[in-house]
């Protein structure tokens, strides 16, 4: 494929990358406001409440499984054709929930959706590393996460409104990928990296610190995913019945995540990678305390704001650190691993939290999570001021 000049269509290219990125967050949280209603509709199914929560998070497991496969494929065969196939599969599998009335069939369609996102997410992160360098990359990584968060606000809000009309309607939002497809064909190009990487990827190797980043990413998402999975049920428990208000609460976390991500480049110019993680975890801890102690809608909103601010700075911080230390020849493979740990955390969140909820309430679960987040924040702070931490940070 002929390589086009990035300068000739730069804003169109950037917008297309941002739109593809928005499909990732949309893939999971769009149907979150409909979960309580789905639990009622399928109440006759054994373990319905758990399976309905699995509808939300099952895509994350398939994303985790298919991301490393995608990473290896795009290092060998290029990025774009696999991306186009993923966008078509995204529309078909995502919208299938509108037409299906069997919970297990819906789970199968969600698994296929996860496969498509595993491909598209890995490719878009890799393309950002391919297309941009230095401060421009740092700025765009922050912009990407901010745009994803803003997309989350739109999609979760729209999902809440549509859920009030019927639990099936939010599934139609996934057809949006058919709008993104022609833009990706028109404005994205195959980077030269993929043409030269086959001969050098056997010798290239990422530094061992990357595994700390991978496992930290998984941990971040295990804890943060308490919000879309458990907040709808917590709000119902304190008397909030309207799905649109539930969607608005979750959207508040994504709104403040966008604000934080948009400011990431300025934050990173003042703090090290490790210090940013310490600040982010501390903000999340404060947010989860608010949720744990809340008995009104407004206090939950404050918790959503604080936790969103924390998560919003940590996602681009992780992506930027990985992009900085990974050799171009194995970029796709390592970005695939990052995507794997990202969504493995999302999938494992309800699996890990479910037995906890059999012992304590949702409020107590958020309290326990807050204490754990605080300890992690302290750990990153200590590491950031130590000689070891400074030696690890590029």
């Amino acid at each position: 494929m002929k390589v086009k000049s990035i300068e000739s269509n730069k804003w169109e290219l950037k917008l297309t990358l941002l739109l593809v990125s928005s499909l990732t967050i949309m893939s999971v949280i769009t149907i979150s406001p409909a979960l309580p209603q789905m639990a009622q509709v399928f109440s006759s199914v054994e373990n319905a409440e758990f399976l309905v929560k699995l509808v939300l998070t099952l895509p994350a497991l398939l994303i985790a499984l298919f991301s490393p496969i995608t990473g290896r494929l795009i290092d060998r065969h290029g990025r774009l054709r696999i991306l186009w196939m993923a966008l078509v599969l995204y529309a078909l599998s995502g919208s299938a929930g509108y037409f299906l009335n069997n919970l297990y069939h819906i789970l199968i369609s969600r698994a296929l959706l996860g496969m498509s996102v595993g491909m598209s997410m890995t490719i878009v992160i890799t393309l950002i590393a391919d297309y941009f360098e230095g401060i421009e990359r740092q700025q765009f990584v922050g912009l990407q996460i901010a745009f994803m968060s803003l997309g989350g606000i739109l999609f979760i809000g729209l999902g809440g409104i549509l859920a009030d009309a019927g639990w099936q309607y939010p599934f139609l939002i996934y057809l949006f990928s058919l709008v993104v497809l022609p833009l990706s064909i028109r404005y994205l190009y195959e980077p030269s990296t993929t043409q030269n990487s086959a001969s050098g990827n056997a010798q290239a190797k990422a530094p061992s610190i990357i595994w700390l980043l991978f496992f930290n990413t998984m941990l971040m998402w295990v804890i943060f995913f308490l919000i879309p999975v458990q907040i709808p049920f917590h709000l119902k428990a304190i008397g909030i019945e309207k799905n649109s208000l539930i969607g608005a609460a979750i959207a508040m976390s994504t709104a403040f995540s966008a604000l934080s991500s948009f400011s990431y480049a300025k934050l990173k110019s003042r703090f090290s990678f490790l210090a940013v993680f310490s600040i982010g975890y501390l903000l999340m801890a404060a947010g989860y305390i608010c949720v744990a102690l809340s008995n009104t809608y407004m206090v939950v909103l404050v918790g959503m704001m604080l936790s969103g601010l924390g998560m919003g700075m940590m996602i681009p911080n992780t992506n930027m650190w990985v992009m900085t230390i990974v050799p171009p020849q194995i970029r796709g493979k390592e970005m695939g691993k990052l995507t794997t740990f990202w969504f493995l955390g999302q999938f494992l969140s309800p699996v890990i939290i479910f037995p906890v909820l059999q012992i304590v309430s949702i409020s107590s679960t958020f309290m326990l999570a807050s204490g754990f987040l605080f300890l992690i924040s302290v750990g990153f702070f200590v590491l950031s001021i130590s000689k070891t931490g400074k030696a690890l940070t590029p």
Side-chain angles (χ1 to χ4, degrees):
M1 181 177 294
K2 185 178 180 180
V3 177
K4 295 176 280 188
S5 170
I6 189 172
E7 297 297 335
S8 64
N9 63 348
K10 199 161 191 177
W11 76 266
E12 295 99 331
L13 178 144
K14 287 183 175 181
L15 177 61
T16 303
L17 290 174
L18 293 174
L19 290 174
V20 176
S21 299
S22 73
L23 298 177
T24 301
I25 192 166
M26 168 184 163
S27 68
V28 182
I29 69 171
T30 297
I31 64 169
S32 181
L35 292 185
Q37 192 175 352
M38 288 182 67
Q40 292 179 352
V41 171
F42 295 108
S43 59
S44 60
V45 179
E46 187 176 356
N47 295 319
E49 183 174 329
F50 175 72
L51 291 175
V52 165
K53 291 180 180 179
L54 204 59
V55 167
L56 187 75
T57 58
L58 182 60
L61 176 61
L62 274 295
I63 295 168
L65 293 175
F66 271 80
S67 295
I69 298 172
T70 301
R72 292 179 181 274
L73 287 175
I74 65 177
D75 278 340
R76 292 174 178 268
H77 305 294
R79 327 295 201 208
L80 296 187
R81 288 185 177 87
I82 299 175
L83 175 62
W84 300 336
M85 180 178 67
L87 293 176
V88 174
L89 179 60
Y90 185 101
L92 295 175
S93 58
S95 62
Y98 175 79
F99 304 98
L100 299 173
N101 290 298
N102 182 291
L103 183 56
Y104 292 100
H105 293 166
I106 293 174
L107 285 169
I108 293 172
S109 72
R110 299 292 287 177
L112 293 173
L113 177 68
M115 291 170 55
S116 69
V117 178
M119 293 185 279
S120 63
M121 181 63 178
T122 301
I123 294 169
V124 75
I125 295 177
T126 306
L127 286 174
I128 291 170
D130 290 334
Y131 291 160
F132 308 107
E133 294 181 352
I135 188 64
E136 185 178 27
R137 179 190 289 172
Q138 185 168 294
Q139 292 172 341
F140 192 79
V141 166
L143 179 63
Q144 179 207 18
I145 304 303
F147 194 90
M148 289 171 66
S149 299
L150 291 172
I153 298 169
L154 173 63
F155 294 129
I156 195 69
L158 182 58
I161 294 171
L162 292 175
D164 281 331
W167 66 266
Q168 305 101 321
Y169 287 99
F171 289 94
L172 292 177
I173 300 175
Y174 294 104
L175 293 171
F176 179 68
S177 68
L178 297 181
V179 176
V180 181
L181 176 60
L183 297 176
S184 68
I185 295 172
R186 174 67 179 86
Y187 294 116
L188 301 184
Y189 66 88
E190 200 68 61
S192 58
T193 303
T194 61
Q195 301 170 9
N196 302 321
S197 62
S199 61
N201 58 11
Q203 292 78 25
K205 188 177 181 180
S208 57
I209 184 65
I210 199 170
W211 288 100
L212 171 64
L213 301 179
F214 290 159
F215 283 106
N216 182 63
T217 295
M218 182 176 70
L219 182 62
M220 283 189 327
W221 282 107
V222 166
I223 301 174
F224 185 73
F225 231 59
L226 278 169
I227 291 175
V229 177
Q230 306 300 339
I231 284 296
F233 295 92
H234 176 67
L235 288 173
K236 292 281 185 180
I238 64 173
I240 306 301
E241 296 295 334
K242 289 185 69 66
N243 291 322
S244 55
L245 288 178
I246 295 172
I250 300 172
M252 186 65 70
S253 71
T254 56
F256 277 77
S257 176
L259 177 64
S260 183
S261 298
F262 191 74
S263 305
Y264 171 71
K266 291 183 179 179
L267 184 71
K268 182 61 187 66
S269 66
R270 299 183 59 186
F271 297 99
S272 69
F273 286 117
L274 292 168
V276 172
F277 280 131
S278 178
I279 297 169
Y281 276 120
L282 185 62
L283 287 168
M284 284 186 66
Y288 278 29
I289 279 194
C290 290
V291 174
L293 299 178
S294 66
N295 54 17
T296 66
Y297 185 70
M298 290 304 299
V299 177
V300 173
L301 289 185
V302 173
M304 296 298 94
M305 295 175 191
L306 291 171
S307 57
L309 284 173
M311 195 66 175
M313 68 178 63
M314 291 196 291
I315 302 172
N317 196 55
T318 302
N319 292 357
M320 187 64 197
W321 196 343
V322 173
M323 289 179 187
T324 302
I325 62 178
V326 169
Q329 299 94 326
I330 56 170
R331 188 172 283 155
K333 182 177 73 171
E334 299 304 322
M335 294 304 172
K337 291 178 184 176
L338 176 62
T339 308
T340 290
F341 281 88
W342 180 325
F343 287 96
L344 187 60
Q346 293 185 7
F347 172 76
L348 289 176
S349 181
V351 176
I352 293 172
I353 299 303
F354 186 75
V356 178
L357 290 172
Q358 305 306 302
I359 302 172
V360 300
S361 66
I362 293 178
S363 296
S364 297
T365 300
F366 274 94
M367 179 65 75
L368 291 171
S370 176
F372 187 54
L373 288 164
F374 178 75
L375 292 177
I376 300 172
S377 173
V378 172
F380 271 109
F381 174 75
V382 172
L383 190 58
S384 70
I385 61 175
S386 68
K387 291 182 179 180
T388 301
K390 291 176 181 178
L392 291 174
T393 307

